Amino acid sequence: MIALRKRSLCSSQLCPVLCALGLAVLGSLTWAVPMDEQDYYLQEISNRDHYYSFPYPGEEYFTFTEQPGEEGTIRASEPEEQPGFKPSRKELKPKKSSKKGKTILEPPPDCPPLGLETLKITDFQLHASTAKRYGLGAHRGRLNIQAGVNENDFYDGAWCAGRNDPFQWIEVDARRLTKFTGVITQGRNSLWSSNWVTSFRVLVSNDSHAWTAVRNESGDVIFEGNSEKEIPVLNMLPVPLVARYIRINPRSWYEEGSICMRLEILGCPLPDPNNYYHRRNEMTTTDNLDFKHHNYKEMRQLMKTVNKMCPNITRIYNIGKSHQGLKLYAVEISDNPGEHEVGEPEFRYTAGAHGNEVLGRELILLLMQFMCQEYLAGNPRIVHLIEDTRIHLLPSVNPDGYDKAYKAGSELGGWSLGRWTQDGIDINNNFPDLNSLLWESEDQKKSKRKVPNHHIPIPDWYLSENATVAVETRAIIAWMEKIPFVLGGNLQGGELVVAYPYDMVRSLWKTQDYTPTPDDHVFRWLAYSYASTHRLMTDARRRACHTEDFQKEDGTVNGASWHTVAGSINDFSYLHTNCFELSIYVGCDKYPHESELPEEWENNRESLIVFMEQVHRGIKGIVKDIHGRGIPNAIISVEGVNHDIRTGADGDYWRLLNPGEYMVSVKAEGYTTATKNCEVGYDMGATRCDFTISKTNLARIKEIMRKFGKQPISLSLRRLRQRARQWRQRR
């Protein structure tokens, strides 16, 4: 301790020497307590002997006391007389009801999570006494981490101790002095087993040699753990403790299971500009935006604020209501809001189909603020994008589900609370299965029922009132049919990858199989345009979120090769409308803490803009008749691509294509077919490819006959009647 006091007085030259001497003295004092002789096996970190020390119950701990002005010690005040053994329930316990009858939850803890769930805490900062196998090592002890369907030696759903006894532990190295305030725990994520810890101790240390437990007047505090494996439980420390290391020591566990845990640590890192790891992980932003989680009322107010700031380029509208009657609000950003401009493509971002995946919601709210500010500032890139594109931003598809997740908070909602609608429907997979209709028609070539390769009609059974379809889904479909979207992205969470269609496998016997669309080359480019400009998606050094490593495809994946889904929004959009839709998974943590939002914005900002710009890649044009009138519903076909699109109400169209030369054909009922060569360059901006087509002879005859009030008569029928008259005359 004396040496540590000298540290504040030493000169810059002598400081490192004296500090090292001080630590050596402190280490010799702490090692006066005999090391534990327990036979720990399956050690994870074989080159760090001090990690193996663990006092027997009842042994005297090396106690740290608060000394004013002293550095390097754990500073703590006297323990409270009545420590909170069940702060998790207290945290969720509602206060008195408001006048409107709505419950108000306790405020969240002051200190944010250290980042086990968001991967800010690396695998090298996690250690454990023992592990059953590598796939159940300390690096898997992260809050909400998911195991694969087939649990294996690499990707299981928790840290599990090598044996069940009260001497096991899992430890986090914060790599700097941190004020620890709380611990959140879960059991093991598994389809096949049930394992969780029911009580535990918390210990802290400055050097990982000497440990002190959280205590009260009666002894060590035993915190209440989990009663099942998925619902997170929060325990706040009676008194915040300052240290570098923190250990969780399970004391009891589910009697039919074993010691398995997932956890998150709450703590405030203390200022340390000389800390390399802090500087490396620190992220700041210069954008002056509202970085917070917005409930429904706050979201609506933020939209109004943006509209007030930029009334000439924004419009607020709603596309329908949720099951509980909340309006599904969208913001349009365009130089002529409220109107479709001929030749101008329409783009959409949606988020929150799964109500608990809230990062996408906040990114869209940040995006609308950013675009308004940059437009006012004259940013040429943003001005050009707004003037040439009609952009629609729908931040909350499932506001009912979000409300559930919001009430629980960023760390206590678990993996699924709020995912579904109020009536239990997964919106993202609630669209009509048009894939099966198309593939059955293609496989049965002699079938009388032919299905087109585009704009496939919605089946009658889906439109019936008895169909299990969410009102939110019906609102999205009506929105998609009303506006001629060209490109869209639905923001999701829980992973860090861009998924492109098809999302459903063609084979009935497979759950994973690469199933490309006819536009696979375009979808792969669109996915890569987002992933490659994201700060982390294509970083080969980053850790996989859960069980899937998407680095082999540069942060992108074909949805069906990941896991098959029938009735996805991506497949429906492609087969029923002109819009190419992709799912963008923007973060490992579905509900990151508010303090993480600036960094997540920096991670995604460039990608969000670049992806919008891709709506201007390919060809565009207007299909007209000889009088200059636009022809709606004309079919645009590209040679070699078995997927067509149709013109809009004004005869305009947009066809996303990669650079190259294409033979493009146009046909419409009653008109002659026209074909021309259209070249797509590498520079951003769609190639203009207009068509003027004339009516067929038969169509002209029909038009003339209708003009004079007569029905057209086919030539073959006229000849038959003439022959009949001649035959009667001969008789």
Side-chain angles (χ1 to χ4, degrees), residues 321-326 328 398-400 421-424 470-472:
K321 293 184 178 180
S322 70
H323 186 273
Q324 290 187 316
L326 299 178
L328 307 181
N398 181 11
D400 298 348
T421 63
Q422 185 65 25
D423 47 348
V471 293
E472 296 90 345

Side-chain angles (χ1 to χ4, degrees), residues 131 219 286 303 307 447 489 550 555:
T286 58
M303 290 179 171
N307 179 242
S447 174
F550 300 106

